[in-house]
Structures are given as structure tokens and as C-alpha cells.
Amino acid sequence: MISIKFLPLFVIIPLGSAFILNIFERKVKLLTDLIASIASGALFVLSILMFGVKGNYYVGGWPSQFGITLVIDGLSSYMLVTINMIAFIAILFSINYMEKFTFKSRYYSLLFLMLAGMNGVSITGDIFNMYVFLEIAAIASYALVGYGGKAEELEASFKYAVMGTVSSTLILLGIALVYSQTSALNMAVIGRNINTSDSLSILALIFLFAGFGLKAAVVPFHAWLPDAHSSAPAPISAILSGILIKTIGIYLIVRIGFNIFGVSQVFLNVLLIVGALSAIIGVLLAIGQMDIKRLLAYHSISQTGYILLGIGLGTPLGIMGGLFHLLNHATFKSLLFLNSGSVEYSTGVRDLEKMGGLSKRMPVTGVTNLIASMSIAGIPPLNGFWSKLLIFIACIQAGYLGYAVIVAIVAILTLSSFLKVQKYAFTGDVPPNLSETKEAPFFMKTSMIFLATMCILLSLVFIVPSLREAVLQPATNVLTSGKTYIDTVLKGQGGIIGAP
Amino acid sequence: MIYSLCLVLFILGLYCVLTKKNLIKIIVGLVIMDNAVNLFFVLLGYRTNGTVPIITNDAEKSMIMQHSVDPIPQALVLTSIVISLGILALMVSLAIRLYEKYGTFDITKIRKLKG
């Protein structure tokens, strides 16, 4: 039976696989692929089975004031499903894509370390433990960005590592200040003890959010993202853009902002302004790009802005829209990055001007890219439309007409930007040097088709009321109920004490 | 106050990261920042003339509570030092690879990326 006992497996399975994969290095080539896909597939299945489970897991049997508590609630299980789905797809894609790189097993190891970090961040209830998991994910991602070993990739990796380290230091400083105020590390106990009107607590909050903002690449801190996300191998770009910036950026901002410190109007206004700025500046920077991966990376900034804007409204509808957009963006942005990887794999080209007519040569990539482009631009039956509509309606309902206009304008600009991609890359005549282009291999096609199907099916999550109640409502409730998170964790509702 | 010295060290590190052009100096700046935070963390739990927080019998409990240093920040800083060592190793190896590719540590000359 699935119960709270299985919660640590989200960290144990990826950490164990990262270790095991290195043992089998170069012994049997097939084995590394097999272990990696089985482990990530198992995590994906487990995350779906665990959906809806609520409670605490006390590591080592220590009560929450002393030991590390793992907490799973509506928001955590929502994040776990998102993370493990995209990671599974990215690993399937890597089976063919990473053939041209050396040391595939080390690549998988780093990927699993990153996955362990992200899963850990979303289930931990301890602020220092969160920092450790965050660093595991971040360090693995620095190494993965520079995995190709070319000059540009190393340069991007170094820049990313400098920015990442500065942000981690800010977060650690914030944690130190929080500890000085509350003498606690458990997030629920911190929430109970903290006095949010105290100036040192506010300083701690500023340091923490500056750190998470840097990780999430929201607008004043966005400069590193296009370099890092466009230099990484395609499956890694998909993971970085699709889930990493959301888990160690947005998720932590909302978890700590809403559940630990408690919402205030100032905090919501900061989220609104930062979100709106990210949405507009990201899309404006994206329009002029001719490198397909840089274009997608700039769109990540813009779509992250949407999520923050939705959540920053603070109304249940806005929060639901923001969280739904988080899941949707994970699917379509990962798909777009996988498409760009598939194009790069088959043609060796990333510059849009050198492409053309690829739909004829690569039908699967062409069709899935069309679906993902329509989804990110918000064309009706697809999932991106529903979440943008939700945010738009929530803006009007909350009385922020200006933000509603911004949401609409950014959607139009996004559409124009992706029409450009379609026009340059997938329609028109095939340039002579690309006339021999073949479709991507089996696993790359499978993963792209899976994500394209998800883009279509996820719209049902919003349209069908029972699915909406089951999937989106629990995550939304966690944020709208605010500081009741503290009581839920401290009372340990539905949890068991100690290891089985 | 002694805490402000940590802040000075932190800003010194940040200044170094933001203004220096040499990769190695940037890395040193990051390490200084990390150490400033670690120092601050340890200072939070420090008590002048404090005792070690080891309880051998029940009678000592209240005495220890009042006179010992706080051991938790020390444990946390130990973890944080290990993490920053990991980052340091990664960044130095990246710097070595960058030197192989570009033949320089000067960050203004390492500019193959657009933007």
C-alpha cells in the first residue's frame, strides 16, 4: 500500500541511481540507459501514486523540533508530479540524444543528483535541509550546463556558477538571520516563532527572496538565464527551464512567503510587479533572437513572470492560474527545448535563418513543435490557453485591469515570436544543405509525442470540474490557507512517527 | 559590533566578485563571501566564556542551558563549508578548462557568447 512511508524514496532512488550508474560505467552500454529510465520511470509512477497523500515523515524518528521532517501536502505532491514527469521524459530523450557525448553514465549521475535535490527541496520541512538539497541541485546543474565542454558552454557554466553561488550565499545569510530570530530550523516552528514586524526578520526575508529570485531568474536578476539555458544539452535545458527554476525559485518563494512568513500586501505587490516586469521584458528580449534556444530561454523568463503574476494576485483563482501555468509551462517549454534539441541533432543548426521547411523532413518534430508553440502562445484548445485565461480573469476579478492588459499583450507578443519560429524553421523551402535531414530516432520521437499529448490532455485538468478539484484545488488550498500549514505540520496530521 | 565585521567581509567579497576581471580572483571573492556568512553563523551561537554543551548528568542541565554555546550553528557551518568546498572545486576546474580553451583568465577576453 502507498503511504507516507514511501516519501524518502523520492530522494533515495535518484541518489542511489546516481551512485549505481557510476559503478557500471563503460561495462555495458545498454545497462546505463536501462537503469536510468527504470529509476526515473519508477519515480514518475511513485509521484502519481503518492498524489493526494498528506502527512509528515520524521527522519530517524526525531520529533519536528529536533530532527528533519519531510512534509507532503497538496502543493508538494503537485510539484513532485511535475518534476518527475519532466525528468522521466528528459531521460528518455537523452538515450538517443546523448550518444554524441562521452561518459553518458556520468551525465545520468549528475542528472539524478539534480533530481534528488529538486525532489528533496519540494518535500523537506526543514530550512537548512532545504538549503542542502538546493545546493545539490544547483551544483549538479552548473556541471551539466558545461557538460559539452565547448568554450561557450564552459563560459556559460562559469557565469551561471558565479550567479548561483552568490544567490546561495544570500540564502544562507537569510537562514542565519532567521535562525537568530527563532532558534529553530523546522519551517513550521520558524513560522510559529517568527515576528514578521521585526526589522531583522524583514532583512532575512529580503535576503531569502533575493536569493530565490536569482535562482528563478525574475527580472532584475535574469541576465544569467539565457546563457546557461541555451548552452546546456537539450534535455538539460528542458529540465532547467521546465522545472529547476520553478522548484528552487518559485516554489520556495511561495512556500516561504505564503506558509511560513504569512502573506502581506507588500509581499503580494512585489510578486505582482516583479511578475509583470519579467513577463514583459522577457518577451521583448525574446522577439529579436535568431538562435532558437536563446529565444526559448528568454521566453522562460517571460512565462515565469506569468506564474508569479498569477500567484501574486493572492486570490484563489489567481493562485490556481499561476500553479496551473507552472505545470503547463513545464510541459510545453520542455517540449520546445526537446524540439530544438531534435532539430540540432538532425541538422546541427541552431540559427533560425539557416533552417527552413523542416516539417517535411521531420514530421514528428514539426507537429509536436506546432502543438507546443500554439500552447505557449495561448491558442484555445491547448493547456496554455486555459492557464492564461485563468490569470487574465483573476486579474480582472481582483480589479487589476492594468495587469490584465499586460497579460493580454504578452500573450500576443509570444504568439508573434513563435509564428516567427514556425515561419523560419518549419515552413517554406528546405535549404540545399539540409535536404538530407532525417527524423530524430525512436526515443526522441517518443518523448516528444508524450509531451505533446500532455499539452493537449492537460487542458482537461481545467475543463473537467472533478479533475480540477482533484489536481489543482489541493495545491491552491495550501497557499490560500496560509499559515495553517504550521498547525498541520506540528500536529502531524495523517503522519507516522519514525521509520517503519 | 562584531557582527558588522562579518558584513564588511561579505561586502568585500561581493565587491571582489563584481569588479575583478580575473577568474581566480572572482572565485576567491566567492569564497570570502561564503566565509563571511559562515563566520556570522558561528558567531550567532557563540557565548563569551561559554562551556561545551555536553550534559553528563541531570544536575548539570540548567547550568549547561545558561552557560554553553549553541552547538547547532557549528554543525550547520560544517555542512556549509563542505558545500562551498564542492563549489570551489567545480569552479576551479571550470577555470582550468576555460584557460585551456581561451589561454587567459581575463573575463573580459572570455566572450564567445552573444549578449
Side-chain angles (χ1 to χ4, degrees), chain A residues 201-214:
Chain A
S201 307
I202 294 169
L203 192 66
L205 201 62
I206 291 171
F207 279 129
L208 282 175
F209 287 157
F212 297 142
L214 253 168

Side-chain angles (χ1 to χ4, degrees), chain A residues 93-111:
Chain A
F93 191 85
S94 309
I95 294 176
N96 289 137
Y97 184 82
M98 295 309 286
E99 285 300 327
K100 56 181 177 178
F101 292 83
T102 49
F103 288 122
K104 211 169 164 189
S105 58
R106 288 195 193 160
Y107 161 83
Y108 282 135
S109 282
L110 285 169
L111 207 160

